[in-house]
Amino acid sequence: MTLFIFTVCPLLILISYALLFDLAMQSLSTADLILDRWTTRVESGIVLLQGSWLLLLSLEQDQIPVITMGQGFSLASWVMLLSLACAHLRVQRGVLAIFIYGIALLLFFLGLYSGIPYENVSIPTYGWIFALHTLLILIGCSFCFLMGLFGMTYLALKRDLKKKKFGILYRHLPPLNILARMDNIASWCSLIFFSTGMLFGSLLNYQRYQAYWILNRKGIISLVVWSFLGINILSRTVLKKQGRLPAQLSFFCGLLLFMGVLILTFSY
């Protein structure tokens, strides 16, 4: 069972992602309904496969899969892909899906690099506060990556429209007002989940170290990302900014979080 969970399942998921990318790229260049259906089936299959793998991992360690950083990245990858699959129940797949597939796959790769296996002796030290803190932070990070993607595509589409270039972005992206609305929703969700997750993180720090905030890489990165998430929302609510500036801030927040993830991944 251990070999199946830590070797076979991740390999099957990677192969499924490769097939999904191939089908999704083909579906962008053609209006073949059969191809689109197969893309949807593979996407749903990965959600089920990766979700089942995380469930097996949870049963194996008797703890939701957030014990190691690698497990956290893998769970965030699945949450993002699950959200996209649910969205595709109501909206048609577009070029944005390719980017979201890429983010989900990148998080899964980072999870494998950081390490999925755990040490049995460490499991009893993780309680419900840690589980809630980790889950909320992961959901907030997923929305942060999405708002960064929405901000980037908004800026790219607006540039193309200004230069009167009506290429693949124009044909497969939603209108600017829809992108701005999606960015706004993702920004609010990211700030709410990230803030709540940091609150539980403070309680966890006090439980362990008798201090609500610890000066380390994770604490500094979290504080910086949270600060810019707040600035992004303030620009929308207090300053009443719309269009370019909020999109730039969203893209910067997503980029900042991505850099923070890389620092945490490769510095341990």
Side-chain angles (χ1 to χ4, degrees):
M1 178 62 72
T2 302
L3 177 65
F4 181 76
I5 292 176
F6 295 113
T7 304
V8 177
C9 277
L11 182 59
L12 290 175
I13 293 172
L14 289 176
I15 294 173
S16 300
Y17 265 111
L19 178 60
L20 178 62
F21 269 104
D22 181 58
L23 291 173
M25 291 299 294
Q26 291 184 51
S27 65
L28 286 180
S29 58
T30 180
D32 190 345
L33 292 178
I34 296 179
L35 183 62
D36 188 67
R37 288 173 189 164
W38 272 107
T39 307
T40 301
R41 290 170 184 170
V42 174
E43 179 186 278
S44 302
I46 295 178
V47 171
L48 291 174
L49 176 61
Q50 193 167 347
S52 300
W53 172 64
L54 292 170
L55 178 61
L56 286 174
L57 185 60
S58 302
L59 295 174
E60 175 76 11
Q61 62 190 22
D62 197 25
Q63 167 79 32
I64 62 173
V66 290
I67 292 180
T68 67
M69 185 179 296
Q71 293 180 15
F73 286 150
S74 302
L75 182 59
S77 167
W78 180 75
V79 168
M80 184 168 293
L81 196 61
L82 175 64
S83 302
L84 180 63
C86 292
H88 284 162
L89 295 176
R90 300 191 61 181
V91 299
Q92 190 176 6
R93 182 179 295 99
V95 71
L96 275 177
I98 304 296
F99 292 104
I100 297 177
Y101 294 154
I103 295 174
L105 179 58
L106 178 61
L107 289 174
F108 187 70
F109 266 126
L110 290 175
L112 295 181
Y113 177 86
S114 301
I116 303 298
Y118 56 91
E119 295 181 8
N120 290 321
V121 293
S122 67
I123 294 179
T125 65
Y126 295 92
W128 66 270
I129 295 180
F130 173 80
L132 281 177
H133 157 68
T134 308
L135 282 174
L136 291 167
I137 288 292
L138 289 175
I139 295 173
C141 288
S142 298
F143 278 112
C144 187
F145 282 126
L146 287 177
M147 61 184 269
L149 174 61
F150 295 148
M152 180 188 72
T153 51
Y154 180 95
L155 295 172
L157 181 58
K158 190 167 186 177
R159 182 199 60 189
D160 285 357
L161 290 174
K162 185 177 180 180
K163 295 182 178 180
K164 297 182 178 180
K165 293 182 178 179
F166 305 108
I168 188 172
L169 291 180
Y170 179 79
R171 293 195 303 270
H172 294 283
L173 282 178
L176 287 176
N177 63 323
I178 301 298
L179 280 172
R181 191 184 309 168
M182 294 164 67
D183 180 20
N184 188 58
I185 294 173
S187 298
W188 274 103
C189 290
S190 181
L191 180 63
I192 291 171
F193 281 106
F194 210 87
S195 299
T196 312
M198 288 184 65
L199 175 62
F200 280 102
S202 299
L203 296 177
L204 184 65
N205 285 332
Y206 187 78
Q207 184 184 70
R208 291 179 174 178
Y209 310 109
Q210 285 71 54
Y212 288 105
W213 190 72
I214 304 298
L215 185 62
N216 54 22
R217 294 189 191 96
K218 182 181 176 183
I220 294 173
I221 291 172
S222 298
L223 183 61
V224 171
V225 172
W226 178 81
S227 298
F228 278 97
L229 288 173
I231 292 173
N232 184 22
I233 293 298
L234 286 176
S235 71
R236 301 165 188 267
T237 56
V238 178
L239 301 180
K240 304 295 182 182
K241 296 293 184 179
Q242 297 180 358
R244 186 179 182 84
L245 180 60
Q248 289 174 331
L249 287 172
S250 293
F251 175 62
F252 180 74
C253 287
L255 185 62
L256 191 65
L257 177 62
F258 176 69
M259 294 173 60
V261 167
L262 290 182
I263 291 173
L264 290 176
T265 301
F266 296 108
S267 61
Y268 285 99

